[in-house]
Amino acid sequence: MLCRRRHLKEVKNCKIINGESVTPQHRVLVIDVMLEILKKRKYKCTVRKIKWWKLKDPIVKCEFKNKVLENLRTNEVEDQWKRVSGTIREAGEKVLGRTSGKGPPPDKETWWWNEEVKESVKKKKEAKKKWDKSGRQEDKEEYKKANKETKRVVARAKARELNDQIQKKLRE
């Protein structure tokens, strides 16, 4: 039994049972181990952001525009940048609102996610559920095919999106 040195404190007892040999060079090994199960830390984002994406809605866009123009009616020149940026931020917060600050974990990638990938993943999950319920070899093969297809679809989607992003950068 191999174990890293940092895990030695988890091994409480270890012994070989003589007479119970699997093959001439192997013996049965019994180990008492105390494993620590660590909970996965949740990602905490404390920064609350203004929901700027809501400006895609024409009604909200018009309301935001009116709010900003209402606050910028004065003709003062000094500190104009601070006043303008503060007014825009304030109007954005009032009209659009703020996020809760709980965003997706930073390692989650969704830039390549599309409908084709969504459908493929859904088919794979259904095949897995079917195989789990029945335990039949045919269902296992169906799940393996769906899994391979999903991997191909994801790879194609990532490549396509990456290529699109590169082309967009080259055009700029």
Side-chain angles (χ1 to χ4, degrees):
M1 178 73 189
L2 297 176
C3 162
R4 295 191 188 277
R5 184 166 293 284
R6 67 175 179 237
H7 297 299
L8 280 177
K9 63 183 176 190
E10 296 172 359
V11 176
K12 301 300 177 194
N13 191 9
C14 175
K15 62 183 174 183
I16 295 173
I17 299 177
N18 290 324
E20 296 289 328
S21 62
V22 179
T23 62
Q25 63 268 64
H26 293 92
R27 302 280 183 252
V28 176
L29 176 68
V30 177
I31 298 178
D32 294 333
V33 181
M34 294 293 291
L35 297 176
E36 273 187 50
I37 299 174
L38 299 175
K39 288 186 177 179
K40 192 174 182 180
R41 291 185 183 181
K42 290 185 178 179
Y43 174 73
K44 291 185 180 179
C45 177
T46 57
V47 179
R48 297 183 70 207
K49 298 178 182 172
I50 297 173
K51 301 175 185 177
W52 295 108
W53 59 86
K54 284 189 168 185
L55 287 175
K56 292 177 184 175
D57 183 12
I59 297 168
V60 175
K61 191 177 195 177
C62 183
E63 185 181 342
F64 175 76
K65 182 180 173 183
N66 291 338
K67 195 72 134 171
V68 170
L69 291 176
E70 179 184 304
N71 291 334
L72 294 178
R73 295 267 184 228
T74 61
N75 293 329
E76 298 174 15
V77 179
E78 56 193 51
D79 296 327
Q80 192 170 11
W81 173 253
K82 288 181 182 177
R83 190 170 42 81
V84 169
S85 66
T87 300
I88 290 173
R89 256 190 253 111
E90 185 180 309
E93 191 172 339
K94 285 180 183 175
V95 175
L96 307 172
R98 285 190 170 266
T99 61
S100 65
K102 297 176 184 174
D107 58 341
K108 294 279 184 175
E109 291 183 355
T110 57
W111 52 271
W112 46 266
W113 191 267
N114 59 29
E115 287 300 316
E116 185 183 8
V117 174
K118 184 178 177 181
E119 288 299 316
S120 183
V121 169
K122 187 177 178 182
K123 286 178 186 175
K124 182 189 85 160
K125 285 183 177 182
E126 288 171 359
K128 174 71 169 139
K129 285 179 185 177
K130 186 177 177 184
W131 176 40
D132 286 344
K133 284 183 180 179
S134 71
R136 293 185 0 219
Q137 188 64 28
E138 299 87 36
D139 293 336
K140 180 180 179 181
E141 294 301 321
E142 187 179 324
Y143 167 70
K144 283 185 175 183
K145 286 179 186 177
N147 194 18
K148 283 183 181 181
E149 182 59 30
T150 299
K151 286 181 182 181
R152 284 190 200 109
V153 168
V154 168
R156 281 195 301 260
K158 281 185 179 182
R160 194 177 316 119
E161 281 299 316
L162 191 59
N163 192 22
D164 289 348
Q165 288 179 4
I166 290 170
Q167 292 300 326
K168 188 177 178 182
K169 290 285 184 188
L170 290 176
R171 279 187 240 123
E172 291 175 355

